[in-house]
Amino acid sequence: MKIIRCIAGLIGIFSLLTFPSCHKSDPAVILGNWVTSTDFAGSPRSGAYCFVIGAKAYVGLGYGGPNNIYLPDSYVFDSGNTTWIKIADFPGTLREQSVAFSVNGKGYVGTGYNRELATVQLKDFWEYDPASNQWKQLNDFGGDARYNAVAFDDGTYGYVGTGYNGNFYSDFWQYNPSDDSWKVTTPTPKKREQSMIMTINNKIYLCGGSNNGAPIYDLWQFDPATQLWSNQTPLTTDAQYANFKLAVNRYSGVAFTLDNKGYLATGLGGGVSQTTVYQYDPGALTWTKMTPYEGAARSYSVAFVVGGKAYLTTGQNGTFHFDDMKEFRPLEEYNIND
C-alpha cells in the first residue's frame, strides 16, 4: 500500500540545529538524520504529484522552473541506482496541488489547480502505464472539482477526498481501476484542505490541514475493510497531547511511513514554512520529535518511500522553489557532515 501525498514565507537566513554527540541509549538524544541524495532531475518546483510503483517513485507537474510556469514534465526515481529518468510529458491541463496514487502497477493523477484558467480547480483524471510510458485520460473524478485534496490506495482501489474549490470538503470517493468508475464512500467528520495521510499496518491515518485558515488538531483512522473512520485524537489530558498538537500543527506538509511508524515533516505552520519532523507510533500511541529537516524550510514538497528508504524533494518557500533531495534515516543521530 502506498501513500502519496504526493503537497510560505520569504526565504530568509536559516540555520541547522546541532545536537550533542551522545550514545543512542541516552534519552536526551533526538534521532533522525537527513542525508543528501540525488537532486530531482527536473526544474525546481512545488505542488508536484508523486506516486510509487514497486521500487520506483514518479514525480512530475507542479509550478516553478526558471520562469515560474506550469511544468509538463515527469521523472521516475530508481531506488536501486538512485537515478532520475525522464518519462512521457503529461498530455492534459498542466497543474499543481493535484492528487496521486497507484494500483496494480499503474499510476493515477487528477484534480488540482491552474491559476491561469478561468475556473482554476480541476476534476479530470489520468492513468500512467510505465510499461508503455503512456498517459491515458479516464473518467472524471466523481466529486466536485478541487485542489489541496488527499489520496491513498488500499491495494485494490484508490481514494480521493477533502480539498477546496471555494468551499471546503469532507467527502471521500473510491476509484475502481477495473471499470474506471467512482463511487462515494464514508466522509471524514470535518471539512479540510492541505491535510496529510499515512498508511500504517493497513490502516490509513488522516491528520492536520486547515479550514478557513485555522489549523485542525485531530487524527482519524480509516479502515478499508469497513469503510469507516474512527477518531484517534488523543485527549487534551493525555501525556502525548502536547507533542501531538505540535506534530499536526501544519498544512501542505508531507507524510510517509517507515517500519510501521508514520512521519510528518515540513509544511506551513502559522503561515511560516517549517522544518519540524515528528514520528507517530500507533502501537505505543506516541508522538516523538525527530531531528528537523536539514534543508531549507519548505511547503508543497513530496515525500516517498522506495527500497525501504524515505526521501523528500521539491517544494517552495515564498517564491523560491527547490529541486534538492534528502534521504531520512530515523534510527541515526544527526550528522552535520552528510
Side-chain angles (χ1 to χ4, degrees):
M1 206 180 301
K2 300 150 289 281
I3 293 300
I4 314 297
R5 174 64 182 106
C6 302
I7 307 333
L10 295 176
I11 282 288
I13 299 173
F14 62 91
S15 60
L16 299 177
L17 299 178
T18 58
F19 301 93
S21 176
C22 306
H23 191 273
K24 287 190 185 335
S25 62
D26 185 340
V29 172
I30 300 179
L31 289 179
N33 188 32
W34 293 89
V35 179
T36 299
S37 187
T38 310
D39 286 349
F40 174 65
S43 297
R45 68 193 65 198
S46 62
Y49 77 78
C50 178
F51 58 79
V52 170
I53 300 175
K56 296 181 179 180
Y58 297 77
V59 178
L61 299 181
Y63 186 81
N67 299 311
N68 282 330
I69 59 173
Y70 284 100
L71 300 164
D73 52 338
S74 296
Y75 301 82
V76 55
F77 176 74
D78 188 331
S79 63
N81 53 24
T82 64
T83 58
W84 291 93
I85 297 174
K86 191 176 186 301
I87 62 172
D89 284 353
F90 183 74
T93 301
L94 302 185
R95 68 197 66 200
E96 59 185 314
Q97 301 165 36
S98 58
V99 296
F101 57 84
S102 65
V103 178
N104 295 330
K106 294 180 180 179
Y108 298 87
V109 176
T111 69
Y113 172 92
N114 186 312
R115 69 191 77 185
E116 296 170 355
L117 301 177
T119 302
V120 299
Q121 59 268 7
L122 303 165
K123 65 179 298 179
D124 55 327
F125 237 82
W126 296 75
E127 175 189 88
Y128 175 74
D129 184 350
S132 63
N133 188 29
Q134 291 184 341
W135 293 91
K136 179 177 73 173
Q137 187 166 7
L138 306 169
N139 287 326
D140 284 353
F141 168 60
D144 293 338
R146 67 191 66 186
Y147 55 98
N148 286 337
V150 294
F152 58 88
D153 76 89
D154 65 9
T156 302
Y157 304 105
Y159 298 82
V160 177
T162 69
Y164 180 76
N165 70 357
N167 295 310
F168 293 89
Y169 286 90
S170 62
D171 60 335
F172 261 87
W173 293 75
Q174 181 192 79
Y175 177 71
N176 186 346
S178 67
D179 62 4
D180 186 22
S181 67
W182 293 91
K183 73 174 184 179
V184 69
T185 186
T186 312
T188 58
K190 187 172 181 62
K191 298 176 181 180
R192 68 188 73 211
E193 64 168 331
Q194 300 170 298
S195 296
M196 294 154 288
I197 288 278
M198 302 175 283
T199 294
I200 310 171
N201 293 326
N202 299 319
K203 300 292 193 299
I204 289 83
Y205 295 85
L206 169 73
C207 62
S210 65
N211 183 300
N212 287 306
I216 300 174
Y217 303 110
D218 63 3
L219 175 69
W220 290 86
Q221 181 197 82
F222 180 76
D223 186 344
T226 63
Q227 298 286 297
L228 296 177
W229 294 91
S230 60
N231 192 352
Q232 305 291 307
T233 308
L235 298 174
T236 56
T237 54
D238 191 297
Q240 288 293 311
Y241 186 78
N243 268 358
F244 159 77
K245 190 172 181 180
L246 290 169
V248 302
N249 183 22
R250 70 185 77 213
Y251 52 94
S252 298
V254 299
F256 54 91
T257 302
L258 272 176
D259 299 325
N260 297 321
K261 295 180 177 64
Y263 296 86
L264 305 180
T266 64
L268 292 164
V272 178
S273 293
Q274 301 293 310
T275 60
T276 58
V277 179
Y278 279 82
Q279 177 199 81
Y280 174 56
D281 184 340
L285 298 178
T286 55
W287 292 86
T288 304
K289 185 178 182 180
M290 309 293 287
T291 300
Y293 179 69
E294 294 177 38
R298 65 191 66 193
S299 59
Y300 294 106
S301 304
V302 300
F304 54 86
V305 175
V306 287
K309 298 178 180 180
Y311 299 88
L312 189 154
T313 186
T314 67
Q316 73 178 68
N317 189 319
T319 59
F320 193 87
H321 294 88
F322 300 100
D323 60 1
D324 58 331
M325 184 165 76
K326 291 186 182 293
E327 175 196 341
F328 182 60
R329 300 176 182 176
L331 300 181
E332 292 184 6
E333 293 180 30
Y334 168 77
N335 184 345
I336 196 173
N337 296 314
D338 57 12

